[in-house]
Amino acid sequence: RSMQMLSIRERQMVCYFFGIGVDHPVSLEEIAKKYDLTVERVRQIKDKALMRMRTTGSYNLLKGFL
């Protein structure tokens, strides 16, 4: 529910990076290859998505997972 506000690309990158819905977490380098982006751009997209999740009310829902 908390990731519904993210774009599809942001959601996929967060899921890959943290291993949500996949067998294991994927490194930034592997995500960059998959999307034909630089590692820095993947990091920026991931960080922006996490910041959006932190600044909304959904952050309180996610605290239970920490």
Side-chain angles (χ1 to χ4, degrees):
R1 217 174 14 160
S2 62
M3 290 198 297
Q4 289 177 347
M5 74 187 94
L6 302 177
S7 70
I8 293 171
R9 179 182 259 186
E10 290 172 333
R11 192 176 315 141
Q12 289 173 339
M13 289 188 187
V14 168
C15 287
Y16 283 134
F17 185 76
F18 290 105
I20 301 169
V22 293
D23 293 335
H24 60 340
V26 180
S27 70
L28 291 177
E29 292 83 11
E30 293 171 318
I31 297 170
K33 285 179 187 176
K34 179 177 178 73
Y35 288 96
D36 195 29
L37 298 169
T38 64
V39 174
E40 178 61 19
R41 184 64 185 137
V42 171
R43 186 195 60 76
Q44 290 171 354
I45 293 169
K46 176 189 65 81
D47 289 348
K48 180 182 173 187
L50 293 176
M51 183 60 69
R52 285 178 62 194
M53 290 172 66
R54 282 186 194 115
T55 58
T56 62
S58 66
Y59 181 66
N60 291 330
L61 297 173
L62 299 174
K63 282 185 180 179
F65 294 103
L66 297 177

